[in-house]
Amino acid sequence: MQRLTLGDFELSVFSDGTYPLDGGAFFGVVPKVMWSRKVAADEKNYVTAGLNSLLIRTGKKTVLVETGMGNKLSERMIKFYGQPAKLIESLNAGGVSPEDVDIVINSHLHFDHCGWNTVRDKNGKIVPTFPRAKYYAPEGEWQYARRPSERDAISYLPENYDPLVESGQMTLLKGGEEIVPGISVKTFPGHTAHMQAIIIQSPGENPHISQRTRDMGHPPNSSYVPTACYISDLMPTTAHIDLTWGMAFDLYPLQTIASKKQYYARALPEKWLTVFTHDPKTPWAYVEKDATGKMVARAI
Ligand SMILES: [Zn+2]
């Protein structure tokens, strides 16, 4: 578990474990001679993907962004992906019990992003894993998930969200909403049509300026607000920060590029901390342009 302070908020990354993904699928049209310089593949061409959830303590609320792969995969899917199912124990090890979580936010509804939304109880009934939490997910994702294309139908498991929508425990988002002060969502199409990034800005008229902020050259009395963004599958790892390095899973590859441009237009000048959903080693980093114009991820 890694932890940092962002303004008045405390951010921690908790992992649901790692899983194997085909390297070709992970890097789309990028040739293996190029991506294999950044990420090692095994003899079956699998690379290791992480499952990073972000926990935010605002001082008033405990907010969990993304819930990993969970523990309800079918035998067939376990053959492909395994089922690490580590999130609850890693939260517990960090002193967080499921009852502590006030809010759960899903960027989209693929099985590896909302798997721990629900569990089966001892009678086999699907129940919320985080009993007190209000859940949020993009409305467009949920609509699409009801009738997915043949291409990605395997990625949607209704038991991760339908019971929560039916019970009223999950609120569906249009995009652009502020869920609690300082935590909002914004739609970045590309991976799917309705995927939303989660933007975290420490609020208040008098933002606490961290040492990190001073290190970046912002004076203590500036109005600069430290910002982090869980960009989800728009840029799943630090190896995907180049504009053209998208995944083969992306339904709308040209929109992935346009969305990355839109993201960088704010994230670079405002020095946002980017949180990477599937990076097994570097869950967060500052993305910058080096002197040659190449995107680089500066770990913290
Ligand atoms: Zn996805």
Side-chain angles (χ1 to χ4, degrees), residues 225-248:
V225 180
T227 303
C229 182
Y230 191 99
I231 198 64
S232 191
D233 277 340
L234 189 68
M235 282 175 241
T237 76
T238 50
H240 290 85
I241 57 176
D242 190 278
L243 282 182
T244 58
W245 286 45
M247 293 191 285

Side-chain angles (χ1 to χ4, degrees), residues 166-197:
E166 278 157 25
S167 70
Q169 197 167 347
M170 176 176 270
T171 300
L172 298 169
L173 300 163
K174 302 268 182 226
E177 290 92 339
E178 186 169 54
I179 293 170
V180 296
I183 302 180
S184 59
V185 291
K186 176 171 165 50
T187 304
F188 282 98
H191 177 63
T192 67
H194 303 282
M195 195 206 83
Q196 293 174 1

Side-chain angles (χ1 to χ4, degrees), residues 108 110 112-113 191-192 233 247 278:
H108 64 305
H110 283 161
D112 53 332
H113 291 259
H191 177 63
T192 67
D233 277 340
M247 293 191 285
H278 291 311

Side-chain angles (χ1 to χ4, degrees), residues 34-242:
M34 292 174 74
W35 62 253
S36 61
R37 284 184 215 140
K38 298 190 181 194
V39 180
D42 70 9
E43 69 285 353
K44 289 183 181 159
N45 208 41
Y46 282 126
V47 300
T48 300
L51 292 162
N52 298 323
S53 290
L54 180 67
L55 189 92
I56 307 147
R57 293 181 198 267
T58 69
K60 289 188 177 144
K61 298 283 183 196
T62 300
V63 181
L64 182 65
V65 175
E66 229 77 318
T67 62
M69 206 179 261
N71 69 351
K72 306 187 300 302
L73 290 191
S74 65
E75 289 300 318
R76 180 165 174 255
M77 287 185 84
I78 290 173
K79 267 189 202 147
F80 281 112
Y81 300 111
Q83 181 174 247
K86 300 256 188 253
L87 182 62
I88 304 306
E89 60 187 84
S90 73
L91 283 169
N92 281 331
V96 183
S97 78
E99 290 74 23
D100 296 335
V101 175
D102 299 301
I103 288 167
V104 172
I105 309 173
N106 299 139
S107 70
H108 64 305
L109 295 174
H110 283 161
F111 73 98
D112 53 332
H113 291 259
C114 60
W116 279 111
N117 278 7
T118 60
V119 286
R120 278 195 197 94
D121 72 9
K122 56 184 188 306
N123 303 316
K125 187 172 174 257
I126 297 285
V127 295
T129 309
F130 305 96
R132 292 181 42 252
K134 282 192 78 173
Y135 288 71
Y136 294 86
E139 180 172 17
E141 266 288 311
W142 182 73
Q143 296 287 3
Y144 177 84
R146 300 168 81 184
R147 284 180 211 84
S149 74
E150 289 85 350
R151 190 179 194 270
D152 64 345
I154 190 174
S155 294
Y156 289 101
L157 306 180
E159 58 193 19
N160 286 334
Y161 39 82
D162 275 351
L164 300 169
V165 174
E166 278 157 25
S167 70
Q169 197 167 347
M170 176 176 270
T171 300
L172 298 169
L173 300 163
K174 302 268 182 226
E177 290 92 339
E178 186 169 54
I179 293 170
V180 296
I183 302 180
S184 59
V185 291
K186 176 171 165 50
T187 304
F188 282 98
H191 177 63
T192 67
H194 303 282
M195 195 206 83
Q196 293 174 1
I198 292 84
I199 298 172
I200 303 116
Q201 299 189 295
S202 185
E205 311 80 61
N206 185 19
H208 164 73
I209 303 296
S210 65
Q211 185 59 45
R212 157 104 235 142
T213 312
R214 277 194 283 275
D215 291 348
M216 292 191 305
H218 295 278
N221 61 352
S222 82
S223 59
Y224 172 79
V225 180
T227 303
C229 182
Y230 191 99
I231 198 64
S232 191
D233 277 340
L234 189 68
M235 282 175 241
T237 76
T238 50
H240 290 85
I241 57 176
D242 190 278

